[in-house]
Amino acid sequence: MPEPLRELSTRAGRVRVFESALAASSAAADRLVEVIRKSVASRGRAVIGLATGGSPINVYRRLVELHVQGELRWDDVISYNLDEYYPVAPGDPHSYRAYMQKHLFDAVKPAANRAHLFDGTVPESFANEQAAGFDRWIAADGGLDLQLLGIGRNGHIGFNEPDDAPLAEALARPSRLERLHPITLEDAARDFGGDESRVPRRALTIGTATILAARSVIVLAFGAQKSEALARAHGGAMTSATPASLLQSIADRVTWYLDPAAASGLAD
Ligand code: PGA
């Protein structure tokens, strides 16, 4: 098991800095497996919130390896994905559904009614209703045992984007259709052949209320481009302008898995 180079506690949680993104991902995958095992042992299932994007790819690669080696059973895992572009065509290779198939689900083969992803094809007038359904389903499943998160350069978590809402509102956002922030669109362009005009302007996202109710949270962040957002999330005030800072409200349940470049702005 990879050991961290550096560990610190901040107002946003426990921070573990590894020598590389790969080492951090491997440690995060081990933690995920441990939560799955414990949850299945204690209540017969594990309810896990999954993320997409560049950051979790090596976590999923490791989970697939462990599954192939017979060290990770997926049978009792119920998963909810954090977000999906809206609108998105069925089978669109840019959809997060396609991402999950490719990086995890083709290998672990969740049962048909156990891997929940937002449907980016629903009529617009029902998009928020669908999202609200996810909050109810997760609550009915007993809440999330673990939420896996990345963080945007603008400090977003899921597609809870920065804004100037009062703190109480920012902490209690339902799952919903959200308009994407300019920095999110810029970063997402990489997945659309570098052409920002092809990125959907909106997305469905799990809201902060459900994320912050999770019994544990893992945040992955790698590379110098994340260091400023991390410095604000860990060292700044809790604010809707940096959604990741809202994790300060549940710091005792949050572990950050970082590489040295991402952690470069964090004070010991
Ligand atoms: P990334 O995105 O993993 O592709 O860097 C993280 C995020 O925007 O939440």
Side-chain angles (χ1 to χ4, degrees):
M1 186 179 296
E3 288 301 316
L5 293 175
R6 184 179 160 212
E7 283 193 279
L8 57 151
S9 264
T10 75
R11 67 177 83 153
R14 188 156 77 104
V15 181
R16 312 186 78 206
V17 185
F18 291 83
E19 63 177 5
S20 66
L22 199 59
S25 300
S26 174
D30 287 345
R31 173 73 188 135
L32 222 136
V33 169
E34 187 188 327
V35 171
I36 291 173
R37 281 204 191 114
K38 283 193 176 149
S39 304
V40 171
S42 67
R43 62 189 193 113
R45 63 178 185 273
V47 184
I48 306 291
L50 297 175
T52 47
S55 308
I57 286 180
N58 284 315
V59 173
Y60 295 143
R61 193 166 289 155
R62 179 75 185 135
L63 292 180
V64 168
E65 253 171 44
L66 292 169
H67 181 72
V68 169
Q69 290 163 10
E71 288 174 47
L72 168 63
R73 266 170 55 88
W74 203 261
D75 304 24
D76 301 310
V77 176
I78 298 171
S79 67
Y80 288 93
N81 261 82
L82 255 186
D83 40 29
E84 179 61 285
Y85 290 117
Y86 185 86
V88 79
D92 185 327
H94 301 300
S95 69
Y96 287 150
R97 185 177 295 267
Y99 171 108
M100 289 309 298
Q101 276 314 129
K102 174 174 170 196
H103 293 290
L104 185 66
F105 294 156
D106 281 346
V108 300
K109 297 187 177 52
N113 64 348
R114 296 231 146 176
H116 307 292
L117 295 101
F118 289 127
D119 179 352
T121 73
V122 296
E124 185 159 352
S125 49
F126 289 95
N128 278 322
E129 198 170 300
Q130 177 195 189
F134 271 53
D135 287 334
R136 292 199 304 275
W137 299 352
I138 292 170
D141 272 331
L144 296 166
D145 292 299
L146 182 142
Q147 173 68 62
L148 184 62
L149 290 178
I151 173 174
R153 261 196 310 138
N154 61 4
H156 73 196
I157 47 175
F159 283 127
N160 293 281
E161 298 286 30
D163 61 22
D164 55 4
L167 186 57
E169 191 182 318
L171 289 165
R173 288 241 154 89
S175 297
R176 68 199 181 283
L177 188 59
E178 173 83 308
R179 189 157 290 284
L180 297 178
H181 185 271
I183 292 179
T184 302
L185 294 171
E186 197 180 308
D187 287 349
R190 151 194 91 188
D191 295 330
F192 290 82
D195 181 355
E196 201 184 303
S197 70
R198 291 171 55 207
V199 181
R201 270 28 208 169
R202 291 177 298 168
L204 290 152
T205 186
I206 298 288
T208 51
T210 289
I211 294 172
L212 297 172
R215 282 182 281 285
S216 60
V217 175
I218 286 179
V219 193
L220 308 166
F222 310 124
Q225 74 282 7
K226 299 290 172 74
S227 64
E228 262 183 58
L230 286 167
R232 280 186 278 124
H234 288 265
M238 191 156 45
T239 164
S240 56
T242 304
S245 71
L246 303 173
L247 294 166
Q248 292 176 18
S249 67
I250 57 157
D252 58 336
R253 288 183 260 142
V254 184
T255 311
W256 302 71
Y257 289 77
L258 310 180
D259 69 357
S264 59
L266 303 188
D268 277 304

